[in-house]
């Protein structure tokens, strides 16, 4: 028997798992190869695949019959990564600046998110905050991998205003009345005091004089 088998291939798709590995078999690629005396073995040039091989890969199936004759055929093995990253968030606290604003980045909220094939980008739905956002704010972090998969997680961004007002005073003169009493107000002494968010109250240590 010197007649080689009739090797018949089919194209297949291999999915990578969450560790970035995928595999197939020669039997999966075989598409009904035949031999008059019988097929002894099927061998595929590559059966294990990793992230670097995402896309189309040309491999060779070798079909050997019971009498040692063999033939080959080519197949396209398409490797796909459809596993989303594991998005991991952390809560953060941010201080407003002297202008009453704060800006954060996605990397501050990210807490070691992972993906087997690699993370391509991090994005936050909200990155800027003002006095109107003091206290807790929920933000969404989107983690995208190198193969277009993405996942999200939520984090709490606590905004604090720890910037003291700028107190600006002016001297005032108080006239006593005919009863020997006089008074002034905190507003009269204030000379344009400022705060990054807002001034709530003005209080003077003494407002009545005799």
């Amino acid at each position: 028997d010197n007649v080689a088998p009739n090797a018949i291939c089919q194209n297949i798709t291999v999915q990578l798992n969450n560790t970035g590995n995928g595999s197939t078999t020669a039997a999966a690629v075989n598409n009904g190869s035949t031999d008059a005396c019988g097929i002894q073995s099927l061998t595929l040039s590559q059966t294990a695949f990793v992230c670097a091989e995402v896309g189309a890969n040309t491999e060779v199936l070798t079909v050997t019959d019971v009498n040692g004759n063999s033939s080959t055929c080519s197949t396209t093995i398409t490797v796909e990564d459809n596993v989303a990253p594991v998005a991991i968030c952390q809560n953060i606290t941010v201080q407003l600046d002297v202008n009453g604003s704060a800006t954060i980045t996605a990397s501050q909220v990210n807490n070691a998110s992972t993906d087997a094939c690699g993370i391509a980008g991090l994005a936050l739905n909200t990155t800027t905050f003002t006095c109107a956002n003091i206290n807790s704010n929920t933000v969404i972090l989107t983690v995208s991998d190198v193969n277009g998969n993405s996942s999200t997680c939520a984090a709490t961004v606590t905004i604090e205003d720890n910037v003291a007002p700028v107190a600006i005073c002016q001297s005032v003169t108080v006239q006593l009345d005919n009863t020997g009493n006089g008074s002034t107000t905190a507003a009269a002494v204030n000379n344009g005091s400022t705060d990054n968010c807002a001034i709530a109250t003005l209080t003077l240590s003494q407002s009545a004089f005799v």
Side-chain angles (χ1 to χ4, degrees):
D1 173 18
N2 291 318
V3 179
N6 181 23
I8 307 172
C9 287
Q10 62 183 343
N11 299 330
I12 64 169
T13 299
V14 173
Q15 301 291 337
L16 298 181
N17 61 21
N18 60 1
T19 67
N21 295 280
S23 64
T24 188
T25 63
V29 171
N30 182 45
N31 192 25
S33 301
T34 60
D35 185 84
C37 292
I39 293 174
Q40 178 69 43
S41 64
L42 301 168
T43 306
L44 190 61
S45 56
Q46 183 175 346
T47 58
F49 299 88
V50 294
C51 294
E53 291 152 329
V54 168
N57 301 267
T58 300
E59 303 300 338
V60 175
L61 176 69
T62 301
V63 181
T64 304
D65 71 15
V66 293
N67 294 309
N69 304 297
S70 64
S71 60
T72 62
C73 58
S74 293
T75 179
T76 298
I77 298 178
T78 302
V79 176
E80 294 183 348
D81 168 26
N82 291 317
V83 179
V86 177
I88 308 172
C89 287
Q90 61 184 346
N91 299 330
I92 62 172
T93 299
V94 178
Q95 305 295 328
L96 294 177
D97 62 18
V98 293
N99 298 312
S101 63
T103 301
I104 65 172
T105 63
S107 60
Q108 289 175 271
V109 173
N110 182 46
N111 192 23
S113 301
T114 61
D115 185 82
C117 292
I119 293 174
L122 303 169
L124 275 180
N125 66 330
T126 305
T127 58
T128 58
F129 301 88
T130 66
C131 297
N133 304 117
I134 288 175
N135 291 321
S136 297
N137 303 266
T138 299
V139 297
I140 304 299
L141 175 69
T142 301
V143 181
S144 302
D145 71 12
V146 295
N147 293 310
N149 305 296
S150 64
S151 59
T152 62
C153 57
T156 298
V157 177
T158 301
I159 301 298
E160 293 183 348
D161 170 25
N162 290 319
V163 178
V166 177
I168 306 173
C169 290
Q170 62 184 344
S171 300
V172 297
T173 299
V174 175
Q175 300 292 332
L176 297 181
D177 62 17
N178 60 0
T179 66
N181 294 280
S183 65
T184 189
T185 63
V189 172
N190 181 46
N191 191 26
S193 300
T194 61
D195 185 78
N196 61 339
C197 284
I199 294 174
T201 60
L202 300 169
T203 305
L204 191 61
S205 59
Q206 183 178 347
S207 59
F209 299 89
V210 293

